[in-house]
Amino acid sequence: MKLTSKGRYAVMALVDLARFDTINPVSLRDISLRQGISLDYLEQIFSKLKKNQIVKSTRGTQGGYVLSKKPNEIKLTNIFNAVDEKVKTVQCKKESKKGCNGKATKCVTHNLWDELETHINTFFEKKSLEDLLKNNSERVN
Amino acid sequence: MKLTSKGRYAVMALVDLARFDTINPVSLRDISLRQGISLDYLEQIFSKLKKNQIVKSTRGTQGGYVLSKKPNEIKLTNIFNAVDEKVKTVQCKKESKKGCNGKATKCVTHNLWDELETHINTFFEKKSLEDLLKNNSERVN
DNA sequence: TCTAAACTTGACCAATTTAGTCAGGTATGT
DNA sequence: ACATACCTGACTAAATTGGTCAAGTTTAGA
Ligand code: FES
Ligand code: FES
């Protein structure tokens, strides 16, 4: 049970963005240097974040990215959905009547995993970017 | 963020075991048939469960496995640890002073992932095999 | 005693996923 | 014009997963 680096990087980059985008757009190059993430990889990630209206971009010299909402309006759920970092605990398709073993009833552990999924998602829905900023405010300067 | 099938199968198999081991040891063959899990794969899993004293085995004809503790004493944590289904959210080594980016300070998201890990582990520590049995008691017959 | 059921061990492998890289663009401020 | 920075898609090496396969050992029961 692991987090992928795509999800991890997305959050790191957005925290970085939230701290530095107050005056000018922030270039991916800067984020790449500060956070130690490959520029090419960041571009993939930001392409998805943009499609999901989490960030806005301006092109050209002095261009870069800006958050498109306030930090307290951006939940971890939103970020994770954007970059396809989904929590998947059950094996079966939830809507299907069939269980993961192909039988007509759901398997003995189905309910358990479903509870777990809810448990984890609750965490992601509560946390916003703002919470992370507070948590690291001592390092802002 | 996914559960591996090793962890999933381990729990399925143990629930099965808990329901049927009251009189005789249960053979992996039976579990394999009832739960639709490959016999060879089950053997790998039970080898680990045995090393971690979650089950006991008897060899020979009519042999099989039995739980080595009461269902309410077996927590999901125990099972998951046994089969190496670890929850790993942070990228860095926790004990290390270095962050995941190689820098001297922990990265901006470190605390977040750490909280998440605790959040998930809490769930696993609360749930015991017994809880699962109750949850599915209507199917016991 | 013989044999089949069932546990034990370790090597091996194909398919998938992950974590990127690479090679081209296009847009725009100075 | 030209450097900077966004944009897009194809590609791939390495790791992980989810098993299979082969070759045992142990023991109950006929
Ligand atoms: S996980 Fe849904 S039926 Fe097994
Ligand atoms: S996850 Fe620990 S420093 Fe980044």
Side-chain angles (χ1 to χ4, degrees), chain B:
Chain B
M1 188 145 220
K2 276 191 275 193
L3 229 50
T4 69
S5 73
K6 208 163 240 171
R8 207 191 314 271
Y9 286 166
V11 177
M12 280 175 78
L14 285 175
V15 171
D16 186 286
L17 196 56
R19 290 205 270 165
F20 291 99
D21 79 348
T22 44
I23 304 172
N24 296 313
V26 180
S27 73
L28 292 190
R29 182 179 170 66
D30 287 352
I31 299 181
S32 166
L33 291 174
R34 277 195 294 262
Q35 304 298 331
I37 305 170
S38 138
L39 179 57
D40 284 320
Y41 203 25
L42 271 180
E43 282 170 351
Q44 284 180 43
I45 293 169
F46 272 76
S47 157
K48 298 191 180 200
L49 292 175
K50 194 185 171 185
K51 271 189 197 127
N52 286 269
Q53 281 118 38
I54 291 170
V55 296
K56 289 181 293 194
S57 69
T58 37
R59 303 179 76 147
T61 315
Q62 302 300 332
Y65 287 92
V66 187
L67 293 181
S68 58
K69 300 176 199 168
K70 285 182 223 154
N72 66 7
E73 293 169 334
I74 302 178
K75 305 293 183 191
L76 284 198
T77 312
N78 307 134
I79 302 173
F80 274 31
N81 280 341
V83 298
D84 304 314
E85 173 81 310
K86 300 205 182 90
V87 176
K88 176 162 168 54
T89 53
V90 297
Q91 175 81 346
C92 61
K93 284 178 190 137
K94 267 197 203 173
E95 316 75 33
S96 162
K97 301 261 162 146
K98 287 185 184 175
C100 55
N101 42 21
K103 292 183 188 161
T105 52
K106 295 290 183 185
C107 78
V108 288
T109 52
H110 182 92
N111 288 343
L112 174 71
W113 307 133
D114 206 28
E115 277 181 58
L116 173 59
E117 203 167 304
T118 305
H119 185 73
I120 296 175
N121 281 326
T122 302
F123 182 87
F124 289 147
E125 273 155 29
K126 271 191 202 151
K127 289 276 175 187
S128 71
L129 257 193
E130 194 175 39
D131 297 330
L132 292 180
L133 290 173
K134 281 182 196 157
N135 207 345
N136 290 281
S137 53
E138 70 275 11
R139 291 189 210 153
V140 167
N141 300 342

Side-chain angles (χ1 to χ4, degrees), chain A residues 22-132:
Chain A
T22 44
I23 304 174
N24 296 313
V26 179
S27 72
L28 292 190
R29 181 178 170 68
D30 287 350
I31 299 181
S32 166
L33 290 174
R34 276 196 293 262
Q35 304 298 329
I37 305 168
S38 137
L39 178 57
D40 284 320
Y41 202 25
L42 272 180
E43 280 172 352
Q44 283 182 43
I45 293 169
F46 272 76
S47 155
K48 298 192 179 200
L49 292 175
K50 193 186 172 184
K51 271 189 198 125
N52 286 269
Q53 281 118 38
I54 292 169
V55 296
K56 289 181 293 191
S57 69
T58 38
R59 303 179 79 148
T61 315
Q62 303 298 334
Y65 287 91
V66 185
L67 293 182
S68 58
K69 301 175 197 167
K70 284 183 225 154
N72 67 6
E73 292 169 334
I74 302 178
K75 305 293 183 192
L76 284 198
T77 311
N78 306 135
I79 302 173
F80 274 31
N81 280 341
V83 298
D84 303 314
E85 173 81 310
K86 299 202 184 93
V87 176
K88 176 162 167 58
T89 53
V90 297
Q91 176 79 349
C92 61
K93 284 179 188 135
K94 268 196 204 173
E95 316 74 35
S96 162
K97 301 261 160 143
K98 287 185 184 173
C100 55
N101 42 21
K103 291 182 186 159
T105 52
K106 295 291 182 183
C107 78
V108 288
T109 51
H110 181 93
N111 288 343
L112 174 70
W113 307 134
D114 206 27
E115 277 182 58
L116 173 59
E117 202 167 305
T118 305
H119 185 73
I120 296 175
N121 281 326
T122 302
F123 183 88
F124 289 147
E125 274 155 28
K126 272 190 201 151
K127 289 277 176 185
S128 70
L129 256 193
E130 193 176 39
D131 297 328
L132 293 179

